[in-house]
Amino acid sequence: MNTSSLQELVTMKMPYGKYKGTILCYLPEPYLVWYHSKGFPEGKLGMLLHTMYEIKLNGLEYLLTPLKKSQFKPS
């Protein structure tokens, strides 16, 4: 896991489905659990969703807090 992947969790939006347009770090845990049971998509999106699942499962959301705050700094 690298910091650019964590940065993508707070910037990338879900491209399709029920939560289309939702930033990945704000996806509800039950949605990620559903993906875990059905299988994550291939590629980068699947890797990011799996990472977000693991973060939420292990109570590590606090790791994303500084990255979330950095997204909203005034220019």
Side-chain angles (χ1 to χ4, degrees), residues 27-40 49 52-54 56-57:
L27 290 171
E29 188 172 348
Y31 187 64
L32 296 169
V33 170
W34 178 82
Y35 258 119
H36 183 259
S37 68
K38 297 295 181 184
F40 292 102
L49 290 173
M52 198 64 237
Y53 168 79
E54 291 293 335
K56 288 191 180 221
L57 179 70

Side-chain angles (χ1 to χ4, degrees), residues 14-34:
M14 189 65 185
Y16 56 81
K18 181 177 182 178
Y19 293 99
K20 181 179 180 178
T22 302
I23 296 174
L24 297 182
C25 69
Y26 295 113
L27 290 171
E29 188 172 348
Y31 187 64
L32 296 169
V33 170
W34 178 82

Side-chain angles (χ1 to χ4, degrees), residues 45-73:
L45 178 61
M47 183 274 300
L48 291 171
L49 290 173
H50 186 263
T51 300
M52 198 64 237
Y53 168 79
E54 291 293 335
I55 286 172
K56 288 191 180 221
L57 179 70
N58 292 295
L60 300 173
E61 294 96 331
Y62 68 89
L63 296 173
L64 300 176
T65 302
L67 298 171
K68 289 177 187 178
K69 289 179 182 178
S70 72
Q71 293 303 307
F72 299 105
K73 285 186 179 178

Side-chain angles (χ1 to χ4, degrees), residues 1-26:
M1 175 56 47
N2 59 43
T3 55
S4 66
S5 293
L6 294 177
Q7 188 68 38
E8 286 182 286
L9 289 174
V10 301
T11 57
M12 185 175 174
K13 294 181 180 180
M14 189 65 185
Y16 56 81
K18 181 177 182 178
Y19 293 99
K20 181 179 180 178
T22 302
I23 296 174
L24 297 182
C25 69
Y26 295 113

